[in-house]
Amino acid sequence: MITMDAIKPGDTVLVYIDDSRKFVVKVTPGKILGTDKGFIKHEELVGRLYGEAVATSQGVKALLLRPLRHDYSSTVRRITQIIYPKDASLMIYYSGVKPGSIVGEAGVGSGVLTLSLAEIVGESGLVYGFDVNEKALENAKEHLEIHGLSSRVRLVKHDVREPLGVAGLDAFFLDMPDPWNALESVYQAVKPAGTVLAYVPTVNQVEKTVLAMERHGGFGDVHAYETLLREYSVEEGATRPHTLMVGHTGFIVFARKIMVS
Ligand SMILES: C[S@@+](CC[C@H](N)C(=O)[O-])C[C@H]1O[C@@H](n2cnc3c(N)ncnc32)[C@H](O)[C@@H]1O
């Protein structure tokens, strides 16, 4: 028999009105979700099933969904540029990160990638999230708590261009202006054959990162990628790509740690 979980206090729910009105709430009776399409009292969610719809105070339909990884980018409070799902998904896929992995990340920024990594490494894994900005760490902490993922992440205020004080990591993710200056500290933190993924917005940064990896000598299987994702408008007899798309986000550099002889 298939059992369906009813929403209870403390659960995390994605309240979806439309693509520009998605809200993550930790269900807390007494609290209210306010939107420009009306409000919903949290207690109205308790006992509902995921997948059900409720009406806002203005009678607008809102779906009750489970937050997925690609919802993080549209629901976190953005205090920095973020990594989009099309890039985060490829980076995570190439990294080999899985349940039980121990990974590093810098900078944490708005925490979009941190949330996905925390979800993937599971209860037995760990994410070290480094950032020089205290506000970024506080913001990420708040989001991790809402999603019940705090225990899987250690947030550390630290400049990753300096030694990290951790070793044996399975993978390291870099999203910072000058990843080439963090290569030695990342090299020391990652285990042999571990993966390193850098995300940079310009081709100049790609070149600097790849050339620095070559000069360093401790990185092999180095590649640079760009991802393009195009959504379609589906209408009978008139299905076609959306007129507008996200034309540019950033580039991804992939490498594996190799032993320096
Ligand atoms: C673009 S944001 C990262 C966004 C994040 N990946 C996300 O998806 O939300 C870049 C972050 O790197 C941090 N940063 C810059 N240089 C750093 C360094 N040397 N060490 C650690 N963090 C650094 C900044 O403070 C900023 O929060």
Side-chain angles (χ1 to χ4, degrees):
M1 198 180 85
I2 298 170
T3 54
M4 285 180 283
D5 295 336
I7 295 167
K8 51 187 187 318
D11 283 354
T12 307
V13 179
L14 177 77
V15 179
Y16 175 95
I17 296 177
D18 58 37
D19 278 349
S20 47
R21 294 181 182 85
K22 292 171 150 188
F23 309 92
V24 169
V25 298
K26 198 168 187 69
V27 179
T28 314
K31 280 197 169 179
I32 289 177
L33 168 68
T35 84
D36 65 337
K37 295 288 177 189
F39 65 83
I40 300 169
K41 291 181 181 167
H42 282 210
E43 51 260 39
E44 291 172 43
L45 309 182
V46 176
R48 305 265 186 181
L49 297 177
Y50 285 99
E52 255 191 80
V54 292
T56 69
S57 57
Q58 291 180 18
V60 175
K61 183 174 155 185
L63 295 174
L64 307 180
L65 305 174
R66 292 179 201 278
L68 298 175
R69 283 169 208 148
H70 77 273
D71 296 312
Y72 296 148
S73 57
S74 50
T75 54
V76 298
R77 185 185 311 112
R78 285 191 196 195
I79 60 163
T80 63
Q81 291 289 317
I82 57 148
I83 295 188
Y84 280 71
K86 72 181 180 71
D87 300 311
S89 55
L90 190 82
M91 290 172 79
I92 290 169
Y93 188 90
Y94 273 48
S95 71
V97 168
K98 57 182 190 291
S101 294
I102 317 281
V103 309
E105 185 206 5
V108 167
S110 301
V112 171
L113 188 61
T114 323
L115 286 162
S116 287
L117 291 173
E119 205 193 326
I120 291 164
V121 300
E123 301 280 357
S124 57
L126 187 62
V127 180
Y128 289 95
F130 299 97
D131 207 297
V132 286
N133 181 350
E134 191 76 48
K135 283 209 174 82
L137 297 172
E138 277 164 22
N139 185 57
K141 185 167 179 268
E142 197 183 311
H143 290 301
L144 287 162
E145 272 161 15
I146 291 171
H147 289 275
L149 296 168
S150 308
S151 63
R152 304 174 187 187
V153 180
R154 244 170 247 172
L155 294 168
V156 188
K157 183 164 187 252
H158 185 74
D159 184 333
V160 287
R161 295 171 295 189
E162 303 298 329
L164 295 169
V166 290
L169 304 185
D170 295 292
F172 209 103
F173 295 80
L174 289 167
D175 179 6
M176 58 187 278
D178 57 341
W180 50 89
N181 287 326
L183 291 182
E184 179 54 23
S185 48
V186 167
Y187 183 82
Q188 297 302 335
V190 172
K191 70 183 184 191
T195 51
V196 178
L197 287 296
Y199 176 79
V200 285
T202 70
V203 286
N204 316 65
Q205 290 164 299
V206 171
E207 203 172 285
K208 280 184 108 162
T209 307
V210 171
L211 294 182
M213 283 177 165
E214 285 173 7
R215 266 196 309 277
H216 182 283
F219 299 92
D221 192 18
V222 182
H223 296 272
Y225 301 102
E226 179 183 13
T227 67
L228 299 175
L229 180 72
R230 197 152 70 145
E231 188 171 358
Y232 278 65
S233 304
V234 179
E235 284 172 49
E236 195 173 357
T239 297
R240 61 198 183 280
H242 274 195
T243 311
L244 300 178
M245 67 183 277
V246 176
H248 173 62
T249 52
F251 305 97
I252 296 160
V253 176
F254 166 88
R256 304 187 210 228
K257 170 172 170 171
I258 57 171
M259 300 312 287
V260 182
S261 51

